Amino acid sequence: MSWQTIVLDFFTYGLLIYSILLLSCYMFIGGYSIGEIRTYLRKNSFTDYRVLASSTQAPSISILAPAYNEGANIIENVRSLLSINYNNLEVIIINDGSKDDSLEKLISAYDLYKTDFFVNKRIPTKDVLGVYKSRKAVYKKLIIVDKQNGGRQMPLMWESTSPKMIISFVLTWTVSWSRMPC
């Protein structure tokens, strides 16, 4: 037996033992997760989340979504966000100085009109050109913010008079503003 055969056998058996241990760990994790999923489903079988989502007592949520040059698919994206089944939901689309027809498509598809909003300039940002809401009651959750392009990635902030949880997707702008009662 040469030293090369010994090294090759050692490497082969080591790889075999490693593979068996790794497979055993994966099987243990899989079996454990199946048990945990069953426990989770059993505990949550008494909760109807549809009732919670439609409750007026549920916390308000604002979804902030950027739209820079999204003219090709902006209508479908907004429609998808508006289809979320939650009572106290607000969908805020931020058009960050798009060079395409994103804003025009949104205005025509959702019958938007420009509203007066007070823009609080506590955080330095580019100018907000306009805030749009829909005339149609079906789209009352939709707010469009049109602003100049910031030119760099910055966090986006939304302030309101009521406490809100903010779910933010890809955030690329800084806007701090609040509603003024009319």
Side-chain angles (χ1 to χ4, degrees), residues 70-85:
E70 292 286 332
N73 54 7
I74 188 72
I75 303 303
E76 293 82 13
N77 293 345
V78 172
R79 188 166 292 133
S80 175
L81 289 172
L82 288 173
S83 70
I84 296 172
N85 185 22

Side-chain angles (χ1 to χ4, degrees), residues 9 26 55 89 101 118 120:
D9 286 346
Y26 285 152
S55 171
L89 176 70
D101 59 345
F118 172 71
N120 187 352

